[in-house]
Structure formats: C-alpha cells, structure tokens
Amino acid sequence: MKTTLICLLTLLVSLKGISQDSKLTVAILGDQTIAEVNINTDEFMTGIKAVMDMVEEEGKALPESYSLAVMVTLHKDADAGFEVYSKPMLNPDKVSAMLKKFRMVKMGRAKFIDFPVVIGFNVGENFKKIEIESPHDKIVKEYEEANLAQKVLLNKQWAAEHLPILIAFESGVEDKFNGVKDFGVQLSKLDFSKKQDIKKLTDNNHNYWRATMEMSSGNLLIPLTKILMLMSQGEFDYAYKFAEILPMFSGNGTAATGYLREINWRLEVFNTQLEQEIGKGIALHDNGDYEEAISVYKAILNQYPNSAWTMYEVYFSGNAKDIQEGKVELEDRAEWDKAKIAVYGANPLYNMDIRANTGKEAYLLYRRFEMSTLFKNKDERLKDVFEYADIAMDLGVYNFAAQLFWLTANYDKDASEKSLMRYMYCLEKLGVKDLKDNFNYDFEKVFKAIEKEKEDEMRNSQAYQQMKKS
C-alpha cells in the first residue's frame, strides 16, 4: 500500500510543480490510506493529470482576480463527477462548457466508496480564496441533523459500505498470513446489509483470532473489522466499547486510525442524542410518572433496539411502578433477572447490576462497578486496559477480554506473559483451542492456575466476604 500511495503523492506534487510560477493546487479529499484497494491508481493518475492540465489552461484564461477549483469524485456505480467552483462566480454557460470538457476525461471508477480530489488554480494556500464544501462536510452535516432513527440507519449503511474495503485488504494479503487471508475470504462472501451472526464470525472463529495474532503491532485492521461488523447490525453499544479503547494502540498512518476517529465521532454524536432522549424519560420517572417514562423509553427502543441503558430504564421504571402498586416487594429481583438478559445482551459490559443474593453475585456486581473507576489517570492507561480485560474475563465476556489481553501482551512488557496466558484462556472459553499449540507452555497447568487465582481473588474480596457474613 505504501508504495502505491507514495507514487500517487509524488506524481501529484511533481505535477503541481510543473513550473515555479504554477498557481495549481491539488488536495486529495478521499482517504489516502485506502487508495490501494479503492481505486485503479494507474488509470486515476492518467486522468487526474489531464484534468490538472485543463484546470491550469482554464485558469490562465481567466482574469488574475479569479480563483477556480474543480472537484473530481470517482464513484463506484457511475462515471466520475465534476463540480466547478469559482470566485467571482463564472457565467453558467462558461461552467457548462468546462464541465463538458472535463467529462470527456476517463477517470475510472472507485471500487467501493467515493474518492474525491479537488484541483485549484489561484486559490491560495489550503484553498483559502474559495469556498468548497467537501463531501465529508456534507456527510457530517446530514448526520448531525438526522434524528435518532435516521442516525441508526446512516451508521448501519456506512459500516456495511466500508466493510468491503477492510475485507479487500485482508483477502489481498500474502498467502503466508493464512489467518488474515482466510478471514477476509470468509467475509467477502457475506452481505453485511443483511442479518449476520457476528459472534460466530468473530468470537468463535479460529480465523479471526489467528488473524489478530498475525497483524503487526499498531495495525488494528482485524478488531476494526469487528467494530464495523457490529455497527452494520446496529450493535452500537458494544461496538463503542471496542472503539473507545483501540485508538491508544493504533499506529499512525494506518487505515484503522482514520476509521477509529470516524467511528468514535459517529458514536459520540449518536450517544449524546440518545442520552438527551433517555433524559426525557428519567425526568418523568423522577416526577413519579412511571407509565409515561416507560412510553418514552419504548419509543427510543423502537428507533434503536440495542440500547442497554434504555432497556435498564424500562426495567427501573416498571419496577418502581410495580412497587408503588404493591405488585412486588422492594427486594424482589425476578423482573431484573429477566431484564438483564437483554441489557447484557446489548452491552455485556454495562456497568449496572441491581442486587446480589450470593457472594459470587456480590463480587461480580462490584466488578461491574469497578469499570467506572478506570482510565482516570493517563499514565495508568496500560494498567487500566489490563484491569478492564480482567474484569471482562470475570464477567464471562471472553471475546472482549481476549482482544484487550492481546493488546497488552504486545505493548506492556511487564504484563506480556500474564496477558498472553489470559488471552489463551479466553480463547479456550470461546471454543478456539488450537492456537495455543503455537506456544510451548503447559496450558492445562496454566489454565488451572488462572482459575485458582481468580477464585481466590473473589473469595478474598470485601464484597464476597460481606455477603457471606450477612
């Protein structure tokens, strides 16, 4: 990928500098890190040179006070689109004549998503002399103005459209990376705009975990693919749990870095709006209007069915209403035992539990609470990632725990072996049992030691001890 992009950028720079007096400026607005799989580079470079020559010719023919820019966008299912910008505004007939010339240039098509480039003449540094609304600016505006239901649909569509790009990288690797290649080939046969079993495709999939292990440190292509898979199915709660951790391990200049930035922006905007909607229900609940609060929550779930927080609030208001009407006792947890199946199904790491009846339940309740104490100190981030993984393992969320243990095994030298052992333990729990054969350890003994250590931690915990005394 790097060779292709260097060639592309070198060409554009050299073309821009045809002469010292050239007023030509070029900006690639598309994601350069995915250009290798998204465009036919040779065809694109030939076409863009022709367009640049035309823009320079047209620009030189205009008065010196004029600024001219042409945006070229490669599409997947249509020929390249051209938009002309100028300051002052050009005569419409002049613009039409320009567009007719530009459209004669063969640019090729994008393979997966739009790839825009803008070429300017006399536009100043960073196009300061002329106003151009980039395609991404339009996407941001549309997304931020969308309601909750529309955001759900936009996120699912965006993930399904971008997954083939990641899959193309995976299926196109060298044969020696069997796990990555086989994982990519497996996914290439699927349509993620339709219902897919993400757990089967990732958590219980040998190829997924082998691929994870084959990638170099800082290249998070595999877990990034999982995030987009979750988003394509509308599982934003759980996708966000991965997305908020991975950026601290992502190498600069990788496709994953840009994607993680986009994902976190999308989900943070979404969660802000979701919080506002849930807040309306909480206000009604606090006023004792439990039935109306439940109606608000159910309306939210009609738009976003996978909101663990909303599910919890449905239970909480429903339980308060039942207590008020004398249908249940305060200590009755039967309804919570039913509700938490859906809550933890949407977000296995939801940090709330209601009450505990046993020492083990008390310990796990406290472990959920402990998640909220992490990541307060920037200098303790690696330690907190390990602890986060350890909590997830205690809660039986082995896929999340495994992902984080693998990251700490590569980045935290002090915890490297301990992380690796726990990673393998989690894979064993997920039913992926053969990858441990690549390591020279007595894993039967290792796994028993881990289980004893975790049992001792639980029994010696204050939460467990207090419950045993009561």
Side-chain angles (χ1 to χ4, degrees):
M1 182 175 73
K2 290 182 179 178
T3 302
T4 303
L5 289 180
I6 288 172
C7 289
L8 175 62
L9 293 172
T10 300
L11 174 68
L12 292 177
V13 170
S14 65
L15 290 174
K16 184 175 70 173
I18 290 173
S19 71
Q20 293 296 320
D21 298 326
S22 175
K23 296 181 179 180
L24 211 58
T25 306
V26 181
I28 301 177
L29 304 183
D31 187 348
Q32 298 175 37
T33 64
I34 64 171
E36 176 187 353
V37 296
N38 191 40
I39 63 172
N40 181 320
T41 309
D42 292 339
E43 189 174 19
F44 171 78
M45 290 192 293
T46 300
I48 208 70
K49 180 184 185 307
V51 175
M52 290 170 72
D53 289 343
M54 290 181 181
V55 171
E56 187 164 41
E57 180 183 351
E58 295 287 350
K60 287 180 176 178
L62 294 172
E64 288 190 11
S65 60
Y66 275 68
S67 298
L68 175 68
V70 176
M71 186 179 296
V72 187
T73 305
L74 272 62
H75 302 295
K76 176 183 176 183
D77 299 317
D79 291 339
F82 295 87
E83 298 173 71
V84 174
Y85 298 84
S86 64
K87 189 176 182 180
M89 292 280 288
L90 290 172
N91 181 294
D93 291 339
K94 176 65 173 175
V95 173
S96 295
M98 284 186 184
L99 288 172
K100 185 176 180 180
K101 289 174 61 177
F102 292 138
R103 288 168 182 157
M104 294 176 64
V105 179
K106 293 183 179 180
M107 296 293 305
R109 294 187 177 187
K111 298 176 184 178
F112 301 108
I113 62 170
D114 286 357
F115 190 80
V117 177
V118 63
I119 304 158
F121 185 85
N122 193 31
V123 294
E125 187 179 357
N126 298 322
F127 291 77
K128 288 180 179 178
K129 292 184 179 181
I130 194 166
E131 289 186 18
I132 298 176
E133 185 179 23
S134 74
H136 189 260
D137 289 341
K138 295 177 183 177
I139 291 170
V140 168
K141 184 178 179 181
E142 178 191 11
Y143 184 75
E144 290 183 340
E145 292 177 351
N147 62 33
L148 199 66
Q150 290 168 335
K151 282 186 173 68
V152 170
L153 181 60
L154 288 170
N155 281 333
K156 290 172 68 174
Q157 289 176 338
W158 178 83
E161 288 170 359
H162 284 257
L163 267 169
I165 296 171
L166 307 186
I167 293 168
F169 277 121
E170 291 156 356
S171 56
V173 299
E174 299 176 52
D175 289 341
K176 64 181 180 180
F177 301 111
N178 298 86
V180 179
K181 194 175 194 71
D182 290 348
F183 182 60
V185 170
Q186 182 181 5
L187 297 188
S188 68
K189 301 172 184 177
L190 303 175
D191 180 357
F192 284 93
S193 66
K194 298 178 181 178
K195 181 71 176 176
Q196 301 293 343
D197 187 343
I198 308 305
K199 180 179 176 64
K200 182 178 179 181
L201 290 168
T202 57
D203 303 351
N204 310 125
N205 185 356
H206 161 96
N207 289 329
Y208 176 82
W209 295 109
R210 177 168 179 173
T212 296
M213 297 164 67
E214 288 175 349
M215 300 302 292
S216 59
S217 295
N219 190 332
L220 302 179
L221 178 63
I222 305 305
L224 172 65
T225 302
K226 178 172 183 172
I227 293 173
L228 262 66
M229 290 166 73
L230 289 167
M231 288 182 67
S232 75
Q233 304 300 298
E235 297 181 39
F236 306 149
D237 277 26
Y238 199 33
Y240 189 52
K241 290 299 177 184
F242 290 92
E244 63 184 354
I245 295 295
L246 292 184
M248 67 178 76
F249 297 98
S250 185
N252 293 329
T254 66
T257 300
Y259 269 112
L260 287 168
R261 190 181 304 116
E262 175 84 8
I263 289 166
N264 277 294
W265 164 73
R266 284 178 171 273
L267 296 182
E268 285 164 9
V269 171
F270 178 81
N271 287 336
T272 297
Q273 188 168 356
L274 177 64
E275 182 178 356
Q276 292 170 351
E277 295 299 316
I278 293 173
K280 297 174 184 178
I282 291 175
L284 289 167
H285 175 102
D286 291 346
N287 286 329
D289 299 325
Y290 304 130
E291 194 65 53
E292 291 183 45
I294 292 170
S295 294
V296 169
Y297 301 140
K298 288 186 175 179
I300 295 171
L301 290 172
N302 283 336
Q303 299 174 76
Y304 175 43
N306 289 311
S307 172
W309 184 8
T310 310
M311 293 177 196
Y312 169 80
E313 296 296 346
V314 169
Y315 156 77
F316 192 59
S317 291
N319 187 64
K321 178 174 177 289
D322 288 345
I323 291 172
Q324 185 183 64
E325 295 174 354
K327 293 181 180 178
V328 299
E329 298 294 328
L330 181 62
E331 296 302 317
D332 191 327
R333 55 173 284 162
E335 289 304 310
W336 171 243
D337 287 340
K338 296 176 186 176
K340 71 180 182 181
I341 296 172
V343 172
Y344 296 152
N347 181 1
L349 297 166
Y350 190 69
N351 66 354
M352 285 290 293
D353 202 342
I354 300 300
R355 57 182 65 91
N357 287 339
T358 67
K360 182 176 181 179
E361 288 179 353
Y363 176 68
L364 295 181
L365 185 152
Y366 181 69
R367 291 296 269 168
R368 283 193 184 276
F369 165 77
E370 280 191 302
M371 289 187 287
S372 63
T373 68
L374 301 175
F375 304 107
K376 305 297 184 184
N377 185 342
K378 190 174 182 179
D379 295 333
E380 300 289 326
R381 287 193 305 172
L382 270 178
K383 179 182 176 182
D384 284 345
V385 172
F386 182 90
E387 181 62 18
Y388 199 6
D390 209 42
I391 292 172
M393 188 170 75
D394 285 342
L395 297 175
V397 190
Y398 296 113
N399 61 85
F400 187 81
Q403 203 80 67
L404 267 57
F405 280 135
W406 181 254
L407 291 172
T408 56
N410 281 279
Y411 283 88
D412 189 347
K413 294 180 180 179
D414 294 335
S416 180
E417 185 174 53
K418 191 173 184 179
S419 294
L420 178 61
M421 297 302 102
R422 278 163 165 69
Y423 171 77
M424 289 300 170
Y425 177 80
C426 290
L427 294 197
E428 191 82 2
K429 289 292 186 179
L430 292 168
V432 180
K433 302 185 177 187
D434 57 333
L435 291 176
K436 64 180 181 291
D437 296 338
N438 294 298
F439 300 88
N440 188 26
Y441 289 93
D442 182 349
F443 280 104
E444 183 178 358
K445 182 179 179 180
V446 168
F447 294 163
K448 286 181 179 179
I450 290 173
E451 289 176 346
K452 184 179 186 307
E453 179 184 344
K454 301 307 294 178
E455 181 75 13
D456 290 344
E457 284 179 6
M458 179 184 72
R459 291 184 177 277
N460 293 328
S461 69
Q462 188 176 11
Y464 185 92
Q465 293 293 332
Q466 287 179 341
M467 180 59 74
K468 297 297 287 183
K469 290 177 182 178
S470 60

